[in-house]
């Protein structure tokens, strides 16, 4: 492990008079402390200088690989004698290594046997080469080509035979219909039986022809199966060895906490019954920083992580912006590593709706229209039960409903529709499914749009490493379409109407912020932009067919920003 002198950085900035926080940063949701901000600024000044190591943060044409930004972190720490400084780290690797001064090293044990990993990777390469060699064997490729040719030919021949039989069947049926007018019952039944036998004969001949074509393929099929079984066996062996190596690596990450206790990544995930840890768990900046601090008897004071460089094509990451630790990899292991530290309360467990009122702006025998405030759950969460749904249940204790027909993000304000029974719910829900409902949102964007209107089409899927954040994904994402119309431009901001055609999670937020969308995040978006006093997104208007009157009804809630 690198010496403390290599990784511990004294503040260049005068920090005299800045109070040390009473509690350590809650890493999943935080506002950076002043000391963290100073440490971040100093690290960013260092990153702006030429370095001995290489990483392509920005320019796709450098020849140094595809441009890829990276997460960095700073951990303000205090030595036993009271001296303050900070540690810095990056997630994953830079220039093919995890060990670059002045950054803290990887979080795995000091006696980590890299030679074992190298040996395993050589074995993986060997197995992969064996599979590739089998795939290129002349006997295999010749048999596979012949087999594919015969299969394609058989498919065409059998299709032609089916069409021929179908035509013959139609002719026989027509003959039977015509004969029913001229033949007596006994002769008609004989003809019908004869045609039935002809039909059976056709099926038999078709099956015999099918078997004949398969027999022609059989010699090549035997050869192909033999090779593919060998390839599958080697692939399975490689897969099993990969899983065993991954488990071995996770066991090398014996993570410390403030009490001096160690648990490896595999133990932590097993205890929490989370299944197999995601690949590279333990390699993010926050675990690296805490591991080094505990190993060197440094007291963690405050933490911050920020993005440096270009965002990937799927994620939304802004240069120099702060982000929380990821949920899937870091949250479980940080739960162990933070034990023994006095940590800030988890703000995600605090009910944001305390003291807020929920206005019912319309009600009749079938529907309830609510104007939901911002930072207010639509339905109960895992830990916070207060929500639009729960409050409606309190308001209408005798009703079989209310049933929310749709939802809004907790941070989004505006109109929600509820019904008083299941029949009315299904009536309106069908309009959502068929996309005949008209919805209009108002959003204030951080940026000035050039176009007056347009359509955004970016497919979305959940970020499995960081739920509930969404990714743009053309391979596995669901269709997501949004129309927009500029209302007015306000200095560096643009007020727009959004008309969502589909209703994906965080659709408007991602479509606004993503570089392939409007490239202008919604003001106050703490996930895809920059947090402010609130998310400036409001569900202003909705129109649908009333379940009782059958007439079109519409409702509007005034924009609160």
């Amino acid at each position: 492990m690198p010496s403390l002198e290599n990784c511990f950085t004294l503040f260049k900035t005068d920090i005299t008079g800045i109070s040390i926080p009473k509690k350590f940063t809650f890493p999943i949701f935080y506002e950076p402390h002043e000391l963290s901000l100073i440490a971040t600024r100093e690290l960013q000044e260092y990153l702006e200088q030429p370095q001995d190591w290489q990483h392509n943060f920005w320019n796709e044409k450098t020849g140094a690989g595809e441009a890829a930004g990276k997460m960095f972190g700073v951990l303000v720490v205090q030595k036993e004698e009271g001296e303050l400084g900070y540690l810095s780290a990056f997630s994953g690797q830079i220039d093919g290594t995890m060990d670059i001064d002045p950054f803290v090293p990887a979080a795995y044990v000091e006696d980590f046997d890299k030679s074992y990993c190298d040996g395993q990777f050589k074995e993986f390469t060997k197995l992969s080469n064996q599979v590739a060699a089998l795939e290129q064997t002349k006997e295999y490729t010749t048999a596979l080509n012949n087999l594919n040719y015969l299969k394609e030919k058989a498919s065409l021949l059998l299709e032609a035979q089916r069409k021929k039989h179908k035509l013959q069947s139609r002719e026989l049926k027509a003959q039977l219909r015509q004969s029913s007018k001229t033949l007596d019952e006994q002769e008609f039944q004989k003809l019908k039986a004869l045609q039935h036998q002809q039909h059976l004969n056709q099926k038999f001949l078709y099956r015999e022809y099918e078997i004949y074509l398969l027999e022609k393929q059989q010699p090549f099929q035997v050869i192909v199966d033999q090779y593919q079984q060998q390839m599958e066996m080697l692939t399975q062996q490689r897969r099993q060895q990969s899983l065993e190596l991954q488990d071995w690596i996770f066991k090398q990450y014996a993570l410390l906490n403030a009490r001096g206790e160690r648990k490896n990544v595999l133990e932590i995930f097993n205890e929490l019954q989370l299944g197999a840890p995601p690949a590279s768990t333990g390699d993010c900046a926050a675990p690296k920083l805490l591991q080094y601090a505990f190993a060197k008897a440094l007291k963690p004071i405050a933490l911050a992580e920020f993005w440096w460089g270009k965002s990937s094509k799927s994620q939304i990451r802004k240069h120099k912006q702060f982000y929380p630790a990821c949920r899937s990899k870091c949250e479980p292991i940080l739960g162990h590593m933070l034990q023994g530290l006095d940590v800030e309360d988890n703000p995600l467990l605090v009910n944001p709706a305390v003291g807020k009122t929920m206005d019912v702006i319309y009600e009749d025998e079938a529907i309830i229209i609510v104007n939901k405030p911002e930072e207010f759950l639509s339905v109960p969460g895992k830990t916070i039960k207060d929500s639009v749904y729960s409050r409606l249940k309190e308001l209408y204790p005798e009703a079989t409903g209310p049933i929310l027909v749709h939802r809004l993000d907790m941070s989004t304000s505006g109109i929600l529709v509820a019904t008083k029974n299941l029949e009315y719910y299904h009536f309106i829900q069908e309009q959502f499914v068929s996309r005949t409902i008209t919805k209009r949102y108002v959003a204030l964007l951080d940026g000035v749009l050039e176009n007056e209107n347009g359509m955004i089409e970016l497919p979305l899927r959940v970020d499995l490493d960081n739920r509930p954040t969404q990714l743009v994904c053309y391979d596995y994402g669901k269709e997501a379409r949004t129309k927009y119309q500029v209302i007015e431009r306000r200095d560096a901001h643009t007020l727009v109407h959004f008309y969502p055609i589909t209703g994906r999670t965080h659709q408007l937020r991602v479509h606004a912020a993503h570089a392939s969308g409007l490239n202008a995040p919604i003001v106050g978006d703490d996930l895809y932009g920059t947090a402010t006093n609130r998310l400036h997104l409001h569900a202003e208007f909705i129109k649908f067919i009333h379940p009782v009157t059958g007439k079109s009804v519409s409702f509007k809630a005034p924009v609160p920003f």
Side-chain angles (χ1 to χ4, degrees):
M1 180 174 289
S3 66
L4 187 57
E5 289 73 20
N6 290 341
C7 297
F8 181 83
T9 304
L10 289 170
F11 283 97
K12 298 176 183 177
T13 307
D14 183 6
I15 58 172
T16 305
I18 299 178
S19 300
I20 294 176
K22 295 180 179 179
K23 295 185 176 183
F24 184 71
T25 313
F26 179 71
I28 307 300
F29 194 96
Y30 64 91
E31 287 292 328
H33 185 268
E34 188 175 358
L35 289 171
S36 296
L37 292 173
I38 295 171
T40 296
R41 185 175 66 247
E42 292 187 2
L43 176 57
Q44 291 175 351
E45 288 173 356
Y46 164 80
L47 291 172
E48 288 170 348
Q49 305 303 314
Q51 306 299 335
D52 294 335
W53 45 268
Q54 299 292 321
H55 185 82
N56 186 12
F57 291 109
W58 288 105
N59 190 349
E60 291 184 344
K61 298 180 180 179
T62 62
E66 184 179 352
K70 187 165 285 291
M71 197 74 76
F72 285 82
V74 293
L75 178 66
V76 180
V77 292
Q78 187 176 40
K79 291 184 176 180
E80 291 179 340
E81 61 270 22
E83 186 178 31
L84 282 176
Y86 61 89
L87 307 173
S88 56
F90 53 83
S91 293
Q93 295 186 352
I94 284 181
D95 204 14
T97 181
M98 295 187 185
D99 299 325
I100 299 175
D101 288 341
F103 302 106
V104 302
Y108 46 65
V109 295
E110 290 189 52
D111 58 351
F112 182 80
D113 187 2
K114 291 185 179 179
S115 64
Y116 174 74
C117 287
D118 292 340
Q120 290 298 302
F121 286 127
K122 287 180 181 178
E123 182 63 22
F124 297 157
T125 303
K126 179 182 176 182
L127 291 170
S128 297
N129 290 339
Q130 288 176 333
V131 172
L134 288 170
E135 289 176 334
Q136 296 169 13
T137 303
K138 187 173 182 179
E139 183 183 30
Y140 171 69
T141 56
T142 302
L144 184 62
N145 290 336
N146 287 332
L147 179 63
N148 289 336
Y149 169 76
L150 290 174
K151 281 185 174 180
E152 184 177 351
K153 184 178 179 180
S155 177
L156 294 173
L157 290 171
L158 290 171
E159 177 63 23
Q161 198 68 19
R162 284 193 295 271
K163 289 180 179 178
K164 179 181 177 181
H165 290 172
K166 193 173 183 179
L167 179 62
Q168 290 175 345
S169 294
R170 282 202 297 266
E171 291 174 349
L172 289 173
K173 286 180 181 178
Q175 180 187 0
L176 195 64
R177 284 195 300 271
Q178 186 65 31
S179 299
S180 65
K181 301 175 184 177
T182 58
L183 298 177
D184 59 33
E185 182 62 23
Q186 185 177 2
E187 291 297 321
F188 179 74
Q189 290 300 326
K190 285 183 179 180
L191 178 62
K192 191 173 181 181
L194 178 63
Q195 287 193 359
H196 177 66
Q197 185 60 48
Q198 289 176 319
H199 175 69
L200 293 177
N201 291 342
Q202 285 178 346
K203 289 180 67 176
F204 175 78
L205 291 173
Y206 179 85
R207 180 57 185 158
E208 287 291 303
Y209 189 45
E210 190 176 37
I211 292 171
Y212 164 73
L213 294 174
L214 285 172
E215 286 176 346
K216 294 185 70 174
Q217 300 169 27
Q218 189 61 23
F220 302 113
Q221 185 72 61
V222 169
I223 296 172
V224 168
D225 287 346
Q226 288 174 345
Y227 276 91
Q228 289 186 346
Q229 286 171 8
Q230 292 180 63
M231 287 186 277
E232 176 59 29
M233 182 180 67
L234 291 169
T235 301
Q236 183 61 35
Q237 183 180 345
R238 183 181 58 190
R239 187 181 299 117
Q240 184 59 38
Q241 289 184 1
S242 177
L243 292 172
E244 291 174 359
L245 176 61
Q246 187 69 78
D247 282 353
W248 181 87
I249 291 175
F250 286 143
K251 290 177 182 177
Q252 308 313 301
Y253 285 74
L255 303 175
L256 285 161
N257 62 21
R259 298 172 184 156
E261 302 164 339
R262 286 185 183 269
K263 283 185 182 179
N264 67 53
V265 167
L266 211 55
E267 288 175 324
I268 294 170
F269 273 73
N270 286 341
E271 288 177 5
L272 296 174
Q273 298 181 337
L274 295 175
S280 74
T281 297
D283 290 334
C284 295
K288 287 182 178 181
L289 290 165
L290 289 170
Q291 180 79 344
Y292 189 86
F294 294 143
K296 296 296 184 180
L298 300 171
K299 180 182 178 182
I301 300 298
L303 173 74
E305 295 183 88
F306 63 90
W307 186 260
W308 186 266
K310 185 176 181 178
S311 177
S312 69
K313 294 179 181 179
S314 59
Q315 288 180 305
I316 298 173
R317 289 284 187 263
K318 302 296 183 181
H319 181 53
K320 292 187 176 183
Q321 186 154 309
F322 291 101
Y323 289 93
C326 64
R327 305 298 294 267
S328 66
K329 299 177 184 178
C330 290
E331 188 173 20
I333 59 179
L334 290 178
H336 158 71
M337 299 186 81
L338 294 177
Q339 291 178 23
L341 283 181
D342 192 7
V343 182
E344 293 173 346
D345 293 335
N346 181 354
L348 301 175
L349 300 179
V350 178
N351 180 12
V354 172
K356 294 185 178 182
T357 58
M358 181 195 74
D359 296 329
V360 175
I361 60 176
Y362 177 83
E363 176 196 358
D364 61 25
E365 73 274 24
I367 61 175
I368 306 164
I369 308 298
V370 172
N371 184 12
K372 183 184 87 68
E374 79 280 5
E375 301 306 321
F376 200 115
L377 290 170
S378 295
V379 296
K382 291 182 179 179
T383 56
I384 300 172
K385 303 306 177 185
D386 189 12
S387 62
V388 171
Y389 175 80
S390 61
R391 293 199 187 184
L392 286 176
K393 293 292 284 185
E394 292 175 1
L395 287 173
Y396 304 92
E398 304 302 324
T400 56
I403 305 170
L404 287 181
V405 181
H406 61 122
R407 302 179 186 181
L408 295 175
D409 288 347
M410 181 178 73
S411 299
T412 304
S413 59
I415 290 178
L416 272 176
V417 179
T419 63
K420 291 187 174 180
N421 66 36
L422 198 58
E423 178 186 354
Y424 301 148
Y425 163 82
H426 286 306
F427 183 88
I428 300 178
Q429 179 65 22
E430 178 56 34
Q431 297 176 61
F432 275 91
V433 172
S434 60
R435 300 176 184 174
T436 58
I437 280 185
T438 300
K439 295 179 289 181
R440 185 174 73 224
Y441 290 73
V442 175
L444 183 64
L445 306 185
D446 187 8
V448 178
L449 302 189
E450 294 182 3
N451 297 332
E452 294 298 321
N453 55 67
M455 175 76 78
I456 308 161
E457 298 182 81
L458 296 174
L460 303 177
R461 70 165 176 84
V462 68
D463 184 348
L464 298 175
D465 289 336
N466 204 23
R467 297 173 185 270
T469 306
Q470 302 293 303
L471 299 176
V472 172
C473 180
Y474 288 92
D475 293 325
Y476 305 105
K478 294 181 179 179
E479 176 196 26
R481 303 172 66 222
T482 305
K483 288 175 61 178
Y484 72 92
Q485 174 75 48
V486 171
I487 303 172
E488 63 174 309
R489 294 173 177 84
R490 303 175 179 176
D491 297 325
H493 297 138
T494 306
L495 195 68
V496 300
H497 276 143
F498 277 134
Y499 300 90
I501 309 303
T502 54
R504 309 302 178 199
T505 301
H506 294 179
Q507 176 175 317
L508 302 183
R509 299 168 72 170
V510 176
H511 280 184
H514 196 274
S516 299
L518 298 180
N519 198 26
I522 298 172
V523 172
D525 191 338
D526 61 342
L527 290 179
Y528 309 101
T530 304
T532 58
N533 62 316
R534 65 156 291 171
L535 176 69
H536 286 61
L537 178 63
H538 179 73
E540 177 199 31
F541 175 84
I542 195 166
K543 182 171 72 172
F544 56 91
I545 303 300
H546 194 281
V548 174
T549 66
K551 296 181 180 179
S552 177
V553 292
S554 63
F555 304 93
K556 189 174 181 180
V559 180
F561 49 81

